[in-house]
Amino acid sequence: MLSTFEWTIAKRYLLPGRGEAFIFLVAGISLIAVMLGVAALVIVMSVMNGFRAELLDKIVGLNGHAVVQGYGGRLKNWQEILAETRKMEGVVAASPLIEQPLLVNFEGRVEAVLVRGTDAPDIAALKDKTVLGSVADLKAGASRAALGSRLAQNLGVNIGDRITIINPAGRSTPFGTVPREILYEVSAIVEIGVYDYDKAFVIMPIRDAQLLLLLGDQVGMIEVTTRDADKVREILAPLEERLRGQAVVNDWRTINASLFEALAVERVAMFIVLSIIILVAVFNILSSLIMLVRAKTRDIAILRTMGASRNSLLKIFITVGLIIGSLGTMAGLGLGFVFLYFRQNIVLFVQFVTGQELWDPSIRFLTELPSRTDPLEVLGIAAMAMLFSFLATLYPALKASSTDPVQVLRYE
């Protein structure tokens, strides 16, 4: 704790004296540098967290935490496996699913699509993601389908239009295999928020997908949602062991391994790089305190002759450095939160000024810049900035406390 005397001197040294404007300028630059370093670290880490969380939420929300997939794209005895999976401890939901890459044709335009056949509850869950039409119209046998927003845009399709889905594995004839073509009315356009899904998905009831793909009563996989996405492997381990040789169980980490591993590596790399920015910023605090000690050498000598202890001088200069560091840290946190709050507006403004698209959904997967701030991570960033600031004050504070008043007053 600081005494009244120590606190008074520390506050006095924070303000520029006669001929000390340059020292004050360096201290101000130090504060700004710490502020920018902390803000950059908070912004980047929050965006990285948000990107991972949003991507995980959208992928898991659509595909579940894991899938039980049959060999050859067909799952035998899927009704028994589905009933067993639903009874497992830790499993929240399980439903049959068919996914098959096919072709769609509309007025001469052809696109590669991913036909997704699912049951009524999963279709109903798309209600909040529907931008046009209604998924309630997707009934088995009605020959209706929902399209991803980007796919509908690429095809020029609107509600009520009829598209043709082409299955190359059609019926055999004396002249060869004739592709299977079925007309479907577009009853809904949905936006998942993941570019790759929105540009490819055609969603229909599972019975219609079975008819289109000539699967009979078979399905391709069972999607499973568990109580904890991070423990999905442990929860489904007994099922994986029992189905060995019949089917494979792939969780969300396995399915999207390359993507999430790349995000984890990038997150660590960005944290290290931006931490170096804060480290460089606190060197400005070090230099400003060294100049301050040099300018206040006579004052320090006089204080020593008046009874100030070495410990008091040590605390005074450490306090000066910590105040600069703490003000820069708090300002950086504030700047970071403001930037994150207006992040999408800032992105749009920079795009408007530069004429360049900064957030291309085809590359970034998500349609908007995400953000999710971790309070513990923010506290860690603030603590790191304060620790670096403290370490930067040690040398000049020790230098000031070791000043010999006899030598100074004799020669100066």
Side-chain angles (χ1 to χ4, degrees), residues 243-279:
L243 295 178
R244 192 177 301 277
Q246 303 178 45
V248 292
V249 179
N250 292 321
D251 63 9
W252 61 270
R253 291 189 188 90
T254 304
I255 298 171
N256 306 281
S258 59
L259 176 59
F260 284 102
E261 286 177 7
L263 286 176
V265 172
E266 185 177 0
R267 186 171 179 272
V268 173
M270 293 301 294
F271 183 84
I272 293 174
V273 170
L274 294 175
S275 297
I276 294 175
I277 294 177
I278 297 179
L279 184 61

Side-chain angles (χ1 to χ4, degrees), residues 180-245:
R180 185 175 178 80
E181 300 183 7
I182 299 181
L183 284 172
Y184 292 90
E185 180 183 336
V186 178
S187 63
I189 295 176
V190 299
E191 185 168 318
I192 308 300
V194 179
Y195 181 83
D196 284 358
Y197 293 164
D198 290 335
K199 75 171 184 178
F201 265 0
V202 175
I203 302 166
M204 63 180 63
I206 194 166
R207 290 297 303 164
D208 290 358
Q210 289 173 331
L211 180 64
L212 172 65
L213 298 170
L214 302 174
L215 291 178
D217 192 38
Q218 292 182 323
V219 300
M221 64 189 77
I222 294 174
E223 65 172 2
V224 184
T225 303
T226 61
R227 185 173 55 246
D228 189 343
D230 293 324
K231 297 181 179 179
V232 61
R233 179 61 65 180
E234 292 84 347
I235 293 173
L236 297 181
L239 181 65
E240 184 178 14
E241 183 65 27
R242 196 190 76 76
L243 295 178
R244 192 177 301 277

Side-chain angles (χ1 to χ4, degrees), residues 265-322:
V265 172
E266 185 177 0
R267 186 171 179 272
V268 173
M270 293 301 294
F271 183 84
I272 293 174
V273 170
L274 294 175
S275 297
I276 294 175
I277 294 177
I278 297 179
L279 184 61
V280 171
V282 299
F283 273 100
N284 288 327
I285 297 178
L286 173 64
S287 61
S288 65
L289 286 180
I290 290 175
M291 288 188 292
L292 181 62
V293 170
R294 185 68 187 87
K296 299 295 185 181
T297 301
R298 287 179 58 86
D299 293 1
I300 294 169
I302 294 172
L303 289 173
R304 287 296 312 280
T305 59
M306 294 175 63
S309 65
R310 293 178 183 272
N311 190 45
S312 293
L313 292 173
L314 187 70
K315 290 193 289 184
I316 287 171
F317 284 93
I318 288 178
T319 300
V320 172
L322 285 178

Side-chain angles (χ1 to χ4, degrees), residues 345-365:
N345 293 330
I346 293 173
V347 169
L348 295 175
F349 174 75
V350 174
Q351 288 183 165
F352 174 76
V353 172
T354 62
Q356 300 294 322
E357 187 171 11
L358 302 181
W359 191 261
D360 186 355
S362 64
I363 298 174
R364 308 294 183 182
F365 295 99

